[in-house]
């Protein structure tokens, strides 16, 4: 199933969602190289998170590759001055292709506005960053020696999907199903999306990061669900909640 739109209008402009989409598109168009494979590979190793660098808390070295500390043991660009902490954040704004970018931004646009209204601008941004960072760290713990660059906003967006499932389970999503468009309960659509991550067999897809991000978003929303829903239902609400 692919979502076309959700039937859950928000009452306020999703400013942070819009800014996140703009930031991702700008990075893709103006910052990330695409014309030369070698340049793009070097760029990703210099800027993006790498699991082995996270678990060893140091940039990849030739010695680590030779010793098998970071695998697979192959030639990889080495950047000794790389900031490991910064790379975890930067990775959330890098993508592996135009379809990768478009798919992520579409899911963020459809589901982000309602979650942003519930959490408030600042709380929503913190949730997004928490899910994205947590997804990357979770993948690194599961694959501590991997040298593949981790890129994409999928882990962060999975956190938004998890929060949406908790806060708006009875909402409806218009989804493309084979050759038709059908209304599907949000909890069913997002539940199937989550379960589908365990069956992903596409090389290069860090499905574990999606799972971790979704679980983090779900957990935070469950902890705050009562307060967030009470605030959403308040008829005299004049400003979004901020943490």
């Amino acid at each position: 199933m692919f979502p076309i739109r959700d039937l859950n209008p928000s009452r306020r402009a999703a400013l942070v969602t819009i800014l996140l989409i703009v930031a991702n598109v700008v990075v893709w168009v103006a910052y990330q190289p695409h014309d030369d494979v070698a340049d793009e590979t070097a760029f990703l190793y210099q800027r993006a998170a790498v699991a082995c660098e996270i678990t060893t808390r140091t940039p990849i070295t030739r010695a680590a590759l030779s010793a098998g500390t970071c695998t697979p043991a192959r030639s990889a660009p080495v950047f000794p001055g790389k900031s490991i902490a910064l790379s975890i954040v930067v990775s959330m704004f890098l993508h592996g292709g135009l379809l990768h970018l478009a798919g992520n931004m579409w899911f963020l646009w459809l589901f982000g506005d309602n979650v942003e209204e519930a959490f408030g601008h600042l709380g929503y941004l913190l949730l997004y960053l928490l899910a994205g960072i947590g997804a990357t760290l979770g993948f690194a713990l599961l694959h501590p020696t991997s040298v593949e660059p981790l890129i994409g906003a999928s882990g962060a967006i999975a956190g938004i999907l998890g929060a949406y499932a908790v806060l708006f389970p009875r909402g409806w999503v218009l989804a493309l199903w084979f050759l038709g468009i059908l209304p599907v309960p949000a909890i069913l659509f997002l539940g199937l999306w989550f379960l589908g991550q365990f069956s992903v067999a596409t090389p290069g897809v860090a499905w574990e990061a999606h799972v971790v991000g979704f679980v983090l978003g779900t957990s935070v929303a469950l902890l705050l669900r009562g307060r967030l829903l009470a605030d959403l239902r308040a008829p005299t609400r004049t400003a979004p909640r901020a943490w």
Side-chain angles (χ1 to χ4, degrees):
M1 288 188 293
F2 185 82
I4 304 300
R5 58 171 295 194
D6 73 323
L7 304 179
N8 188 15
S10 57
R11 297 175 293 177
R12 299 186 181 278
L15 298 179
V16 175
T17 297
I18 293 171
L19 288 175
L20 287 171
I21 292 173
V22 169
N24 277 276
V25 172
V26 168
V27 168
W28 169 259
V29 172
Y31 190 52
Q32 190 173 343
H34 311 292
D35 297 332
D36 184 87
V37 174
D39 287 346
E40 183 173 10
T41 299
F43 174 88
L44 294 179
Y45 273 102
Q46 184 178 15
R47 307 293 185 190
V50 175
C52 191
E53 293 179 330
I54 294 172
T55 55
T56 61
R57 299 188 296 278
T58 185
I60 292 174
T61 63
R62 295 297 179 198
L65 292 172
S66 299
T69 305
C70 297
T71 57
R74 58 176 174 77
S75 178
V78 173
F79 298 95
K82 178 179 179 180
S83 170
I84 307 303
L86 182 61
S87 71
I88 296 173
V89 177
V90 171
S91 280
M92 290 189 283
F93 296 90
L94 304 176
H95 287 83
L98 190 57
L99 287 178
H100 186 202
L101 172 68
N104 275 345
M105 295 305 100
W106 184 247
F107 271 75
L108 182 58
W109 173 251
L110 287 185
F111 298 102
D113 59 337
N114 298 111
V115 178
E116 182 174 350
E117 182 177 21
F119 276 82
H121 301 315
L122 179 58
Y124 173 76
L125 179 60
L126 291 175
L127 174 68
Y128 184 92
L129 294 174
L130 172 66
I133 293 171
T136 299
L137 296 179
F139 181 89
L141 288 175
L142 293 170
H143 303 277
T145 64
S146 172
V147 296
E148 299 298 330
L150 295 168
I151 57 174
S154 304
I157 295 170
I160 302 303
L161 300 184
Y164 192 104
V166 170
L167 297 174
F168 309 105
R170 297 180 182 178
W172 289 88
V173 177
L174 289 181
L176 180 63
W177 179 259
F178 294 106
L179 298 179
I181 298 177
L182 299 174
V184 181
I187 189 64
L188 175 61
F189 178 88
L190 295 172
L192 290 175
W193 179 91
F194 177 72
L195 293 176
Q197 302 311 302
F198 294 93
S199 63
V200 172
T202 305
V205 176
W207 63 269
E208 300 94 334
H210 303 171
V211 171
V212 173
F214 191 93
V215 170
L216 284 172
T218 300
S219 300
V220 173
L222 282 172
L223 287 173
L224 301 175
R225 185 174 183 271
R227 291 173 53 195
L228 296 175
L229 291 180
D231 189 55
L232 277 176
R233 293 165 182 158
T236 59
R237 185 182 185 193
T238 58
R241 180 190 298 276
W243 290 4

